Amino acid sequence: MTRKLLRNIGVPVLSLLLLLALWQAIVVGFNVAPYVAPRPWQAILSVTQNWSTIWPLALGTIRETVYGFLIGAFLGVFLGVVMAKIPVLQRSVYPVLVLSQAVPIIALASPLVLILGFSIMPKIVIVAWIVFFPVTVNVVDGLSHVDPDLINLARVYGAPRWRTFVHIEMPATTTPLFSGLKIGATYAVTGAVIGELAASEGSSLALYQEHANSNLNAAAVYGTTMVMTAIGISWFLLVVATEVAATPWQRRSVARRYPWRRARFETDGAASIVSSLSKGES
Amino acid sequence: MENTLLELRGVTKRFGEATALAETSLSIHEGSFVAIVGPSGCGKSTLFNVIAGLLAPDGGEVRLQGEPVTGATGHVGYMLQKDLLVPWRTVEDNITMAARLTRRVNNVDRAEARRVATEYGLGDFLRHYPRALSGGMRQRVAFMRTLVTHQPLLLLDEPFGALDAQTRLDMQQWLLQVWRDTGRTVLFITHDVDESLFLSDRVLVMSPRPGRVVADITNPLARPRDMETLTDPAFIELKSRIMHLLHGGAS
Ligand SMILES: Nc1ncnc2c1ncn2[C@@H]1O[C@H](COP(=O)(O)OP(=O)(O)O)[C@@H](O)[C@H]1O
Ligand SMILES: [Mg+2]
């Protein structure tokens, strides 16, 4: 257990520290001026010293990321299911969705701010816009690759289509679904930041960075980038944790004993005794 | 024992130009164990798919207990060489899959799944996921899933085809025990002549292009059967007869 924990957490942390060390080595080794690129500790210090300013801004970015991601994820699943089930829609809607992703998101941000104003709305829309696509693509793919024999088996039982969908097709699509969600999670923060940049008014993490940049405060610029990255990584890890919790069968050999099922398994003990007795007689 | 459970009248099935199943008529007695042998591509699975209602025949009729069921589903137990266990469900929950797919699973279903699993040697694996099971165990779970549907007719399409020889022999004896205990009617596809003779009361030999039943052989070998059966002169004789039918030796 501790060894596994060490490997799963220790190794990533170690590679992160190595990255910071590399940064330090380059900046010192090439004697880079502090206003061009700060030392790592200067960037970190600029964040901790201005934490009371940065935290509310970061909270705003987190909110945009999370809301946008959730809306994008649900929209993505919905579109994926609908397109996989209705071939006409797949042929007609799919190209439009691809088109939506071909539009440079930056070119889309300003008009969205114009339409939706300087609120959280345009940011949420941009995040959802980015997130839904990998989810949809993976869900469509997953649903169209469910083993046809499994679906035939359900038909043999006389299963109605919606039950086949709920108990066979959807669970069989969990792995591609989470692949889509993980890709979406990594891009979500980028979407939020682009939205924040496009809204030139109000206070946000992206505008805080812009401000620091125009003041030649490289430490704050790099520090803010670190905060944005941390939000992205945390969200990604949360999605991974959700996947791990939702798919115990991919790692465990034996199912956990759920409290609401305990009664059932205790009666099982008695049943096996009875049955072994009756077998002994014959 | 002489009641007819399943009856096929003039059933045919084509795929485009190819006739997968030429006009076939059959009648299967309740409680019997009928093996179907034939080279691959001779329409054995097609025959099962028509009986199960997965395929609508181009002509003819399927009757179960006197009722026409042509093209309808939900009236047989069907098991394939692929176990088709879902990896996200435990053994117990895989066994109750048919119930889950047609209505709410209740405690009676769960109790029965546990009873059957315990009785046939998987009682310690109820909470295991399929990934933790061997090939033979997986096939047994798949068979129990088929059994608890309570369908009188079980269609087994090469269920042991992917198992190694030793496991296969164990599974054959296990299947005979379950069959004797439960009194179901079994249609069993195999391309292994030994297996067909070891298990069945009756062997249907099929031949391709077009797919059809070319011989209907009563298997008189005494039960219970064991290793001795495989060297019985009557067994050898039946085997060579079926081999001739399968490999074109004029008989
Ligand atoms: N869905 C299908 N579409 C077209 N041809 C099929 C289909 N299913 C089976 N066939 C053809 O019908 C013939 C019989 O197939 P099958 O019943 O699977 O044979 P067996 O189970 O005896 O190996 C084969 O030639 C096969 O290629
Ligand atoms: Mg076949």
Side-chain angles (χ1 to χ4, degrees):
Chain A
M1 190 62 200
T2 36
R3 278 190 62 166
K4 231 171 118 184
L5 217 75
L6 219 69
R7 203 181 51 220
N8 289 347
I9 295 173
V11 173
V13 165
L14 201 72
S15 62
L16 206 69
L17 289 176
L18 274 173
L19 208 67
L20 289 180
L22 191 70
W23 174 0
Q24 173 82 15
I26 291 173
V27 175
V28 173
F30 291 93
N31 202 13
V32 182
Y35 59 87
V36 175
R39 311 277 187 269
W41 59 268
Q42 287 175 320
I44 293 169
L45 218 61
S46 107
V47 173
T48 51
Q49 280 170 351
N50 299 294
W51 188 243
S52 57
T53 313
I54 289 178
W55 175 238
L57 300 178
L59 214 58
T61 307
I62 291 172
R63 205 170 286 133
E64 294 150 14
T65 305
V66 172
Y67 291 169
F69 179 90
L70 291 179
I71 292 172
F74 278 104
L75 185 71
V77 172
F78 175 77
L79 285 172
V81 169
V82 166
M83 288 203 303
K85 288 286 145 191
I86 309 171
V88 182
L89 280 186
Q90 186 163 348
R91 276 191 297 275
S92 56
V93 176
Y94 217 118
V96 177
L97 297 187
V98 174
L99 197 76
S100 80
Q101 300 303 301
V103 178
I105 198 75
I106 307 219
L108 209 76
S110 301
L112 270 175
V113 171
L114 224 57
I115 295 166
L116 299 168
F118 295 108
S119 65
I120 193 176
M121 284 310 288
K123 292 123 190 173
I124 290 180
V125 170
I126 291 170
V127 174
W129 190 289
I130 295 176
V131 168
F132 92 88
F133 189 70
V135 176
T136 299
V137 169
N138 277 283
V139 168
V140 169
D141 232 41
L143 284 176
S144 41
H145 285 101
V146 178
D147 186 346
D149 280 332
L150 214 46
I151 291 169
N152 275 336
L153 188 71
R155 276 184 64 207
V156 168
Y157 294 144
R161 284 183 59 170
W162 71 269
R163 278 191 185 272
T164 309
F165 179 75
V166 170
H167 293 297
I168 302 286
E169 292 174 279
M170 244 6 244
T173 306
T174 16
T175 303
L177 168 65
F178 274 103
S179 300
L181 290 175
K182 282 185 281 192
I183 296 171
T186 44
Y187 290 131
V189 182
T190 307
V193 170
I194 288 173
E196 289 178 354
L197 275 178
S200 46
E201 260 175 51
S203 57
S204 65
L205 210 54
L207 292 182
Y208 174 86
Q209 189 178 39
E210 278 264 292
H211 189 70
N213 198 28
S214 54
N215 286 345
L216 297 181
N217 185 354
V221 171
Y222 276 70
T224 315
T225 301
M226 288 165 89
V227 172
M228 292 166 172
T229 310
I231 296 173
I233 291 175
S234 310
W235 188 242
F236 177 81
L237 288 179
L238 204 67
V239 173
V240 170
T242 309
E243 179 177 21
V244 168
T247 57
W249 68 85
Q250 290 185 344
R251 282 159 309 279
R252 305 180 63 87
S253 296
V254 185
R256 242 179 241 289
R257 205 177 271 270
Y258 297 107
W260 62 89
R261 283 198 173 184
R262 186 158 297 154
R264 286 174 33 205
F265 285 112
E266 270 162 17
T267 53
D268 178 54
S272 35
I273 293 167
V274 171
S275 126
S276 62
L277 282 179
S278 64
K279 253 167 107 184
E281 281 170 13
S282 62
Chain B
M1 285 301 274
E2 287 308 295
N3 289 336
T4 297
L5 180 70
L6 173 77
E7 195 177 6
L8 268 62
R9 293 182 187 165
V11 168
T12 60
K13 181 68 196 175
R14 284 184 305 277
F15 292 112
E17 293 294 285
T19 303
L21 205 58
E23 199 165 306
T24 301
S25 297
L26 274 181
S27 141
I28 306 291
H29 293 307
E30 209 173 312
S32 61
F33 197 126
V34 179
I36 299 172
V37 283
S40 82
C42 71
K44 304 183 295 293
S45 299
T46 302
L47 179 69
F48 271 17
N49 287 335
V50 167
I51 296 172
L54 289 177
L55 288 175
D58 294 310
E61 199 184 18
V62 181
R63 281 174 175 268
L64 193 75
Q65 292 170 318
E67 301 288 325
V69 292
T70 320
T73 57
H75 52 78
V76 296
Y78 196 163
M79 176 180 168
L80 304 178
Q81 181 171 340
K82 280 200 285 189
D83 56 65
L84 297 176
L85 301 183
V86 296
W88 58 87
R89 293 275 180 193
T90 60
V91 165
E92 177 183 330
D93 291 349
N94 263 288
I95 296 177
T96 55
M97 205 59 190
R100 183 170 300 103
L101 282 167
T102 47
R103 54 185 169 78
R104 271 187 84 88
V105 176
N106 56 38
N107 284 332
V108 178
D109 299 319
R110 298 203 175 94
E112 183 180 25
R114 288 197 296 275
R115 184 182 58 74
V116 172
T118 307
E119 203 160 306
Y120 297 115
L122 284 174
D124 294 335
F125 296 91
L126 283 162
R127 289 195 301 122
H128 281 58
Y129 290 113
R131 69 195 287 263
L133 306 184
S134 68
M137 286 159 87
R138 293 175 64 106
Q139 281 307 93
R140 273 192 277 173
V141 175
F143 184 75
M144 290 173 196
R145 181 190 59 201
T146 313
L147 204 64
V148 297
T149 57
H150 296 278
Q151 304 291 1
L153 179 63
L154 304 183
L155 307 179
L156 312 183
D157 192 347
E158 303 199 40
F160 308 147
L163 303 178
D164 62 87
Q166 183 55 47
T167 312
R168 201 174 165 137
L169 219 57
D170 293 343
M171 291 295 290
Q172 289 167 357
Q173 271 162 333
W174 179 83
L175 174 62
L176 284 179
Q177 182 202 344
V178 181
W179 173 67
R180 206 171 50 230
D181 291 353
T182 60
R184 306 292 174 89
T185 307
V186 176
L187 276 179
F188 188 103
I189 289 177
T190 174
H191 54 241
D192 177 345
V193 178
D194 283 12
E195 185 172 62
S196 74
L197 285 170
F198 187 74
L199 294 172
S200 72
D201 304 321
R202 178 181 168 197
V203 182
L204 302 175
V205 183
M206 288 184 69
S207 164
R209 283 176 296 276
R212 64 199 187 283
V213 177
V214 290
D216 185 342
I217 296 166
T218 306
N219 177 358
L221 298 171
R223 295 185 191 273
R225 297 177 186 158
D226 50 28
M227 295 304 100
E228 307 289 292
T229 311
L230 299 174
T231 50
D232 189 319
F235 178 94
I236 308 279
E237 195 200 312
L238 276 173
K239 180 176 171 178
S240 90
R241 193 170 144 209
I242 294 170
M243 287 298 213
H244 273 280
L245 285 163
L246 287 175
H247 300 291
S251 51

